[in-house]
């Protein structure tokens, strides 16, 4: 994925078509501004997707960012942005912040709101006498001339509100009609204009005027939009922080190590292998390793770990983290969109656009709801014209105003964004939004052992040479170590890495054989081990049963190896060596299992390790159900049977051998240090590596789903009550304006409850762990 900055985008507009035809599809992030509801999102997506050369275009409602994939040979980025601007919205490349534009827009919105509010207070004084007529107790005597004067004064006060404060609604309505789309601004503008012109008619021809209702309608709508925008920024604050975390500039060293001279460049211009200077207080500009220096880095926004992480030579650095004190020289390994931060941000943005199945139906019909309301309003006007022609227009206006799909459209995004953002702050990154609903409904948690319940940092405790030969025993030992080291270096499994690390640390004469090891057909079998051929012989390094299947010779595990993880080396002639390793249980594993069980969730341990090792871990963690010596296919079959019995399964793993089970589970959770292929396919990524955060995630997801259901219930119930009330003439236009604004605000404010409960949950599940550190 190649991200293009604005300068390159401008160049695209001037390049010849023949040159662009050779370029592959490009991907870009855009920051959008000016959207107010789901109708705005649908309109922009519909318009951009119609452009020739656009392959995909998806908007994140929460962060107001869009993911664009297009072919530069057919269309320039500048034209895509121009198409969005023509719709009445603002669009910027991701490397340009929309904050300044949003500040200007916010300032203008406040002015519009102030004019409408000031006019509303003034017009009430002129409307008050008309409401008192005829009330003898307060001398409600209003002459026709005075009545006309008050109406004209009200008209003059209303004109600035219509011509200035209401402009955003009129522009939006014109834009929607021009694009043959019915959005929220169409009925709103229709209601404002009908009220205004009907009042002008009544001013000169006689009858009641509703200038005060029109101004109140505009004021309430502007106020609701302003509050919604502020609240939405609050609910998406954590997500916005992560999406805007990508560093912009970096100090590239020109000729390290011969020279310390640097140049300031954009991070998009960096290449893998560049040497970078990171001063204290600066962001790490790329993924890489420390070449020189000693410091501490704040990686809390990426991992949820509050403590600073020590960084010295050869330590790994994460783009976006903060260098706290010392000066570091690093070598870039992954830059731009290839960094871990960019991948995780993209993953979270995709998750925020996903909706649980519960609300997909409501969002699907939200835009159609407006057309139905306009038809109902027209029918109501016709019927009331026969009953009482003086009230027909006002009742039709009330029907249009009181109903709006805004509450339906806002039911999901605010809650989803708040949930994803709060989980991210705790080190749980959501890759797929649907996982929140599935996690809330979970009945079973299935755990892998190595790297999940344990740290996955196995240590080689002992080894036994089993091969017998007439040659020198020491030579056999060296050859066995050389073969094991050569094979283990070709695997990322924790057992292989532990063997490779231990053998690499031995003196050279104990490991490196004089024979040249030339392997053919080397491949790894997930959950079993590594197999390869050399000099016509097949060698295997891995589980005991995997090696035994090669030669058929049984092996009796010694007493001292009981409860240890074993890996063996053998060929078709028999056993060559056996390695005994041990892993440490995570400190919070038992507490996490206990917390999940207290919530009524069933827990299960599935592992490929020996049964005695698995049972020991199960006892230490308080797991009643544990099974060992399982292949990846066995895990897959067990989860499939559980789902057939109605279970909602959450699988927590870390490695490639967990892939089939993770793909089948209703929710797949991968540890932060897990295999990259597993991370890319997971629903949730536990970057904090704290198992206690799982219970935190379950409770937060449950509450988020509860809030979404409440929002949908309220939005539907409101419309079921408001529509009949407006049709039967029980609501005045200003009642309708107030009801519509309050319905939308209630949905948005309800999402804020997730932020409040977040503090409570964190105090329960996090404080105790932090006090132990």
């Amino acid at each position: 994925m190649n991200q293009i900055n604005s300068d390159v985008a401008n160049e695209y507009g001037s390049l010849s078509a023949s040159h662009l035809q050779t370029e592959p599809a490009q991907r870009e992030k855009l920051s959008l501004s000016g959207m107010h509801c789901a109708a705005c999102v649908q309109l922009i997506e519909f318009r951009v997707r119609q452009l020739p050369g656009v392959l995909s275009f998806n908007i994140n409602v929460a962060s107001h960012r869009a993911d664009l994939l297009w072919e530069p040979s057919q269309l320039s980025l500048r034209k895509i942005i121009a198409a969005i601007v023509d719709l009445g919205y603002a669009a910027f490349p991701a490397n340009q912040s929309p904050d300044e534009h949003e500040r200007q827009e916010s300032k203008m919105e406040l002015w519009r709101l102030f004019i409408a509010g000031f006019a509303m207070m003034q017009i009430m004084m002129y409307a008050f006498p008309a409401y008192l007529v005829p009330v003898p107790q307060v001398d409600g005597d209003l002459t026709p001339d005075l009545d006309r004067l008050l109406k004209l004064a009200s008209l003059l006060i209303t004109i600035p509100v219509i011509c200035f404060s209401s402009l955003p609604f009129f522009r939006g309505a014109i834009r929607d009609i021009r694009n043959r789309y019915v959005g929220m601004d169409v009925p709103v503008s229709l209601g404002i204009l009908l009220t205004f012109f009907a009042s002008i008619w009544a001013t000169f021809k006689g009858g009641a005027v509703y200038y005060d209702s029109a101004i109140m309608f505009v004021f309430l709508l502007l106020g609701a939009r302003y509050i919604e925008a502020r609240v939405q920024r609050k609910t998406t604050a954590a997500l916005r922080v992560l999406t805007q975390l990508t560093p912009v500039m970096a100090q590239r060293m020109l000729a390290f190590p011969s020279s310390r001279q640097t140049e300031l460049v954009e991070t998009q211009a960096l290449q893998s292998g560049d040497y970078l200077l990171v001063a204290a207080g600066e962001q790490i500009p790329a993924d890489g390793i420390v070449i020189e220096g000693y410091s501490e880095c704040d990686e809390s926004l990426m991992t949820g770990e509050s403590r600073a992480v020590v960084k010295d030579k050869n330590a790994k650095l994460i783009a976006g983290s903060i260098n706290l004190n010392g000066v570091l020289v690093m070598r870039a390994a992954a830059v731009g969109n290839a960094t871990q931060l960019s991948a995780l941000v993209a993953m979270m943005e995709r998750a925020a656009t996903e909706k649980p199945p519960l609300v997909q139906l409501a969002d699907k019909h939200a835009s159609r709801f407006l057309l139905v309301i306009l038809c109902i309003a027209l029918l109501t006007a016709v019927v009331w014209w026969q009953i009482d022609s003086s009230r027909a227009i006002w009742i039709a206006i009330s029907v249009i105003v009181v109903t709006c799909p805004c509450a339906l459209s806002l039911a999901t995004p605010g809650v989803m964004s708040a949930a994803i953002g709060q989980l991210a702050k705790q080190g749980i990154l959501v890759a797929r939004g649907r996982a929140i609903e599935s996690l809330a409904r979970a009945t079973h948690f299935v755990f892998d052992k190595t790297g999940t319940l344990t740290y996955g940092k196995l240590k080689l405790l002992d080894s036994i040479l089993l091969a017998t030969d007439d040659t020198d025993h020491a030579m056999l030992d060296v050859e066995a170590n050389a073969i094991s080291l050569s094979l283990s270096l070709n695997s990322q499994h924790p057992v292989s890495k532990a063997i490779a690390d231990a053998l690499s640390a031995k003196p050279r004469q104990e490991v490196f054989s004089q024979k040249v090891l030339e392997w053919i057909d080397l491949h790894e079998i997930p959950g079993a081990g590594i197999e390869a051929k050399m000099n016509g012989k097949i060698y295997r390094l891995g589980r005991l049963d995997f090696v035994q299947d090669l030669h058929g010779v049984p092996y009796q595990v010694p007493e001292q190896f009981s409860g240890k993880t074993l890996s063996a080396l053998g060929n078709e002639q028999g056993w060559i060596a056996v390695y005994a390793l041990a892993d440490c249980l995570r400190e919070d594993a038992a507490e996490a299992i206990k917390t999940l069980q207290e919530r009524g969730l069933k827990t299960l341990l599935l592992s490929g390790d020996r049964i005695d090792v698995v049972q020991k871990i199960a006892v230490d963690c308080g797991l009643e159900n544990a099974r060992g010596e399982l292949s990846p296919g066995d895990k897959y079959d067990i989860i499939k049977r559980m789902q057939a019995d109605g279970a909602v399964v959450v699988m927590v793993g870390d490695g490639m051998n967990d892939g089939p089970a993770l793909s089948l589970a209703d929710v797949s959770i991968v540890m932060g240090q897990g295999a990259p292929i597993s991370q890319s396919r997971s629903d949730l990524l536990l970057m904090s590596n704290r198992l206690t955060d799982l219970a935190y995630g379950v409770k937060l997801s449950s509450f988020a789903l509860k809030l979404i259901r409440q929002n949908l219930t309220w939005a539907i119930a409101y419309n079921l009550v408001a529509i009949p009330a407006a049709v039967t003439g029980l609501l005045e236009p200003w009642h309708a304006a107030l009801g519509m604004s309050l319905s939308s605000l209630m949905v948005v404010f309800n999402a804020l409850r997730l932020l409040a409960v977040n503090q409570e949950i964190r105090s329960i599940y996090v404080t105790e762990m932090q006090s132990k550190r």
Side-chain angles (χ1 to χ4, degrees):
M1 296 188 302
N2 299 318
Q3 185 175 2
I4 339 169
N5 57 32
S6 59
D7 294 333
V8 177
N10 290 333
E11 292 175 6
Y12 280 157
S14 60
L15 288 176
S16 64
S18 60
H19 175 76
L20 289 172
Q21 285 176 354
T22 62
E23 296 193 25
Q26 298 278 353
R27 187 176 294 276
E28 174 67 284
K29 295 287 185 182
L30 298 179
S31 296
L32 306 178
S33 181
M35 298 185 301
H36 299 290
C37 63
C40 301
V41 174
Q42 293 171 0
L43 175 60
I44 298 174
E45 288 183 338
F46 176 76
R47 179 70 183 91
V48 174
R49 288 170 183 171
Q50 285 186 321
L51 297 174
V54 173
L55 302 179
S56 69
F57 183 77
N58 297 288
I59 297 175
N60 184 339
V61 181
S63 63
H64 287 195
R65 286 163 66 94
D67 183 67
L68 170 67
L69 181 65
W70 88 104
E71 295 179 347
S73 59
Q74 300 186 43
L75 190 67
S76 69
L77 179 62
R78 185 172 54 187
K79 290 184 178 180
I80 297 174
I81 292 178
I84 299 174
V85 173
D86 288 343
L87 293 175
Y89 303 96
F92 308 88
N95 61 346
Q96 296 181 13
S97 174
D99 290 345
E100 182 60 32
H101 179 271
E102 291 180 353
R103 278 194 292 268
Q104 293 177 359
E105 285 292 314
S106 179
K107 185 177 180 180
M108 185 60 68
E109 287 173 2
L110 284 175
W111 271 110
R112 297 186 196 279
L113 185 61
F114 170 75
I115 296 297
F118 182 78
M120 185 178 66
M121 291 186 293
Q122 295 300 316
I123 205 168
M124 285 301 177
M125 294 189 295
Y126 299 142
F128 186 70
Y131 287 126
L132 297 178
V133 177
V135 183
Q137 291 81 354
V138 292
D139 297 327
D141 188 11
L142 190 63
T143 64
D145 292 340
L146 185 57
D147 180 51
R148 173 70 63 84
L149 181 62
L150 291 177
K151 288 178 179 179
L152 289 173
S154 298
L155 171 59
L156 292 175
I157 292 175
T158 307
I159 289 175
V161 176
I162 300 298
C163 296
F164 177 68
S165 297
S166 303
L167 276 181
F169 307 118
F170 300 154
R171 289 171 179 167
I174 293 173
R175 174 195 63 219
D176 293 345
I177 294 172
R178 186 189 303 157
N179 289 277
R180 299 178 182 179
Y181 188 86
V182 180
M184 187 189 78
D185 289 327
V186 173
V188 167
S189 299
L190 191 59
I192 294 172
L193 292 176
L194 283 176
T195 305
F196 179 63
F197 287 113
S199 296
I200 292 178
W201 175 271
T203 299
F204 296 99
K205 297 296 182 179
V209 296
Y210 288 92
Y211 294 117
D212 53 335
S213 295
I215 293 177
M216 182 180 295
F217 183 34
V218 173
F219 175 76
L220 290 174
L221 278 175
L222 290 174
R225 281 192 175 184
Y226 184 77
I227 294 173
E228 285 170 11
R230 295 292 297 271
V231 171
Q232 188 182 48
R233 287 190 68 87
K234 186 175 182 65
T235 58
T236 61
L239 183 58
R240 280 177 173 249
V241 166
L242 280 175
T243 56
Q244 296 175 2
L245 191 62
T246 306
V248 178
M249 306 299 291
Q251 295 187 64
R252 181 165 59 189
M253 307 187 77
L254 299 177
F256 181 84
S258 59
S259 172
R260 312 290 283 191
Q261 185 179 357
T262 63
E263 62 174 346
L264 194 63
V265 298
E266 293 185 355
T267 53
Q268 294 300 318
L270 296 178
Q271 296 181 357
S272 179
D274 283 348
Y275 289 92
L276 309 173
L277 181 68
V278 185
E282 292 183 353
Q283 280 185 298
I284 305 298
D287 290 349
I289 61 172
V290 177
I291 300 300
E292 181 183 295
Y294 179 90
S295 183
E296 292 179 320
C297 288
D298 180 3
E299 300 176 349
S300 57
L301 284 175
M302 286 291 293
T303 66
E305 175 59 63
S306 59
R307 293 185 303 173
V309 182
V310 174
K311 300 294 181 181
D312 53 11
K313 189 173 183 179
N314 294 327
K316 292 183 178 180
L317 296 173
I318 303 176
S321 57
I322 306 296
N323 181 22
L324 295 179
N325 35 57
V327 177
L328 296 175
V329 175
M330 65 172 291
R331 183 175 65 244
V335 298
N337 287 337
T339 64
Q340 183 181 8
L341 171 64
S342 296
L344 295 178
V345 167
M347 181 178 67
M348 291 176 62
E349 289 182 330
R350 287 195 305 269
T353 61
E354 291 187 7
K355 300 180 180 68
L358 177 69
V359 299
Q360 289 179 354
L361 185 63
D363 284 351
K364 179 181 178 181
H365 297 289
S367 60
R368 300 176 185 175
F369 182 69
L370 281 172
L371 289 174
V372 175
I373 291 304
L374 291 177
C375 294
I376 293 175
L378 180 61
L379 181 62
T380 301
V382 172
V383 173
W384 271 95
W385 191 266
Q386 306 299 323
I387 301 173
D388 185 354
S389 59
S390 64
R391 299 186 62 196
I393 294 180
W394 304 115
I395 292 175
I397 291 173
S398 296
V399 174
I400 293 173
V401 170
V402 79
T403 54
C404 180
C406 207
L408 283 171
S409 301
L410 292 171
T412 306
V415 178
M416 290 289 289
S417 300
I420 291 173
Q422 296 308 313
L423 288 171
K425 289 173 66 176
Q426 195 57 33
I428 306 174
L429 302 189
V430 181
R432 293 174 177 84
R434 63 174 177 79
I436 290 182
E437 180 180 355
S438 300
L439 186 62
R441 297 187 296 105
T443 59
H444 292 69
F445 262 77
V446 175
F447 292 90
D448 180 41
K449 180 185 75 70
T450 304
T452 304
L453 292 179
T454 66
Y455 282 103
K457 296 179 180 178
L458 292 165
K459 293 184 178 180
L460 181 61
L461 302 180
D462 196 3
S463 63
I464 299 177
L465 183 67
L466 299 177
T468 59
D469 199 285
D470 295 335
T471 59
D472 184 32
H473 185 278
M475 180 58 69
L476 283 175
D477 195 12
V478 171
E479 292 181 1
N481 288 338
I483 294 173
S484 297
L485 176 59
S486 179
L487 290 174
S488 61
L489 286 172
N490 290 280
S491 172
Q492 292 297 313
H493 193 278
V495 173
S496 297
K497 291 172 70 175
I499 293 175
D501 291 343
L503 295 180
S504 298
K506 287 190 173 187
R508 183 179 181 85
Q509 61 271 20
E510 296 183 16
V511 177
F512 292 94
S513 171
Q514 294 180 356
K515 297 180 180 179
V516 178
L517 304 181
E518 296 182 353
W519 300 107
I520 59 173
D521 194 22
L522 190 150
H523 60 280
E524 182 174 6
I525 301 174
I530 308 170
E531 180 180 280
K533 290 183 180 179
M534 181 177 63
N535 298 330
K537 294 182 179 180
I538 300 177
Y539 289 84
R540 285 184 177 181
L541 175 69
R543 286 171 38 174
L544 295 182
D545 56 347
F546 174 63
V547 178
Q548 184 175 326
D549 289 342
L550 184 62
H551 52 67
V553 180
Y555 177 71
Q556 184 66 37
V557 178
E559 181 70 24
Q560 68 268 25
F561 283 178
S562 178
K564 303 292 188 300
T565 297
L566 299 183
S567 183
L569 173 67
N571 56 22
E572 295 163 302
Q573 280 68 50
W575 304 95
I576 298 176
V578 175
Y579 301 94
L581 306 96
D583 195 1
C584 296
L585 188 68
R586 292 184 185 271
E587 296 178 357
D588 59 348
E591 181 185 355
I593 298 297
K594 180 181 178 182
T595 306
L596 293 172
Q597 291 173 343
E598 289 175 350
R599 290 189 59 84
L601 297 169
K602 297 180 180 180
T603 54
L604 174 67
L605 172 59
L606 301 180
S607 175
D609 213 334
R610 295 196 335 276
I611 294 178
D612 59 327
V613 178
V614 174
Q615 289 296 334
K616 182 178 184 303
I617 293 294
V619 172
D620 293 341
C621 291
L623 286 161
E624 297 180 357
N625 196 347
R627 299 183 61 179
E629 299 183 358
L630 299 175
S631 67
D634 295 332
K635 297 180 183 180
Y636 182 93
D637 293 337
I638 292 173
I639 292 178
K640 190 174 183 178
R641 287 196 296 269
M642 293 167 61
Q643 291 175 328
D645 293 335
V648 179
V649 181
V650 178
M651 173 70 188
V652 187
D654 80 314
M656 172 172 77
N657 58 329
D658 297 320
L662 287 168
S663 63
L664 179 65
D666 297 280
V667 181
S668 57
I669 303 178
V670 174
M671 305 297 288
Q673 85 281 4
I677 188 172
S678 297
Q679 291 183 350
S680 65
R681 296 176 181 176
S682 66
D683 296 322
L684 300 175
L685 192 57
L686 192 61
M687 291 298 296
S688 66
N689 290 316
R690 292 189 298 265
L691 293 175
T692 49
D693 288 339
L694 294 175
Y696 166 87
V698 170
K699 185 166 184 179
L700 193 70
S701 299
S702 300
F703 191 70
L705 188 61
K706 178 181 177 182
L707 292 182
I708 291 175
R709 287 171 174 162
Q710 289 177 354
N711 284 350
L712 287 174
T713 301
W714 161 252
I716 294 172
Y718 164 77
N719 284 291
L720 290 177
V721 173
I723 294 175
V727 169
T728 55
L730 297 178
L731 298 178
E732 296 290 339
W734 74 271
H735 294 147
L738 182 63
M740 194 206 73
S741 300
L742 290 179
S743 68
S744 297
L745 286 177
M746 184 170 292
V747 167
V748 174
F749 278 119
N750 196 38
L752 283 178
R753 295 173 57 200
L754 196 65
L755 305 184
V757 78
N758 178 63
Q759 301 299 325
E760 175 188 348
I761 299 173
R762 292 184 71 179
S763 64
I764 295 174
Y765 295 116
V766 180
T767 303
E768 181 178 348
M769 292 304 298
Q770 289 181 341
S771 63
K772 293 179 180 179
R773 296 175 183 154

